[in-house]
Amino acid sequence: MEQRIIELDVREDLKNKIEPFQKIMEAITQLGANDIFILHAPFKPVPLFAVLKAKGFSHEEEELEKKHWKVTFTKKA
């Protein structure tokens, strides 16, 4: 089965004071084992790490520039 990658940028939502949590949760429901979810955020979304870990995801984060974090979540098999 082919690996799926879903990418979501919530920087504009947060800038406009729109809570992106529901959008993130909807995106990850589509993922299976070894699929990848890439999140772009204006800060390191530390509280989300524990939430997605409980749902079977590991993560790697990278600060691309000031106010732009890229976090790659991988669904464990």
Side-chain angles (χ1 to χ4, degrees):
M1 193 167 149
E2 196 173 313
Q3 183 181 51
R4 293 186 64 195
I5 298 173
I6 293 179
E7 196 157 355
L8 182 63
D9 189 337
V10 298
R11 291 175 294 163
E12 197 63 32
D13 287 347
L14 289 166
K15 181 178 165 187
N16 294 318
K17 299 189 179 358
I18 299 169
E19 173 55 55
F21 186 76
Q22 193 60 43
K23 190 185 282 188
I24 293 167
M25 292 299 107
E26 288 172 12
I28 66 163
T29 61
Q30 305 171 40
L31 298 175
N34 297 314
D35 285 348
I36 294 174
F37 172 60
I38 299 172
L39 179 69
H40 296 271
F43 55 85
K44 187 175 176 178
V46 175
L48 190 59
F49 298 162
V51 172
L52 293 188
K53 183 177 182 182
K55 295 186 176 293
F57 288 86
S58 60
H59 77 275
E60 293 179 19
E61 72 262 0
E62 176 183 5
E63 187 174 19
L64 299 177
E65 57 188 52
K66 186 177 180 177
K67 295 196 175 190
H68 186 181
W69 283 81
K70 176 183 173 185
V71 185
T72 303
F73 294 94
T74 304
K75 179 93 178 203
K76 297 176 190 165

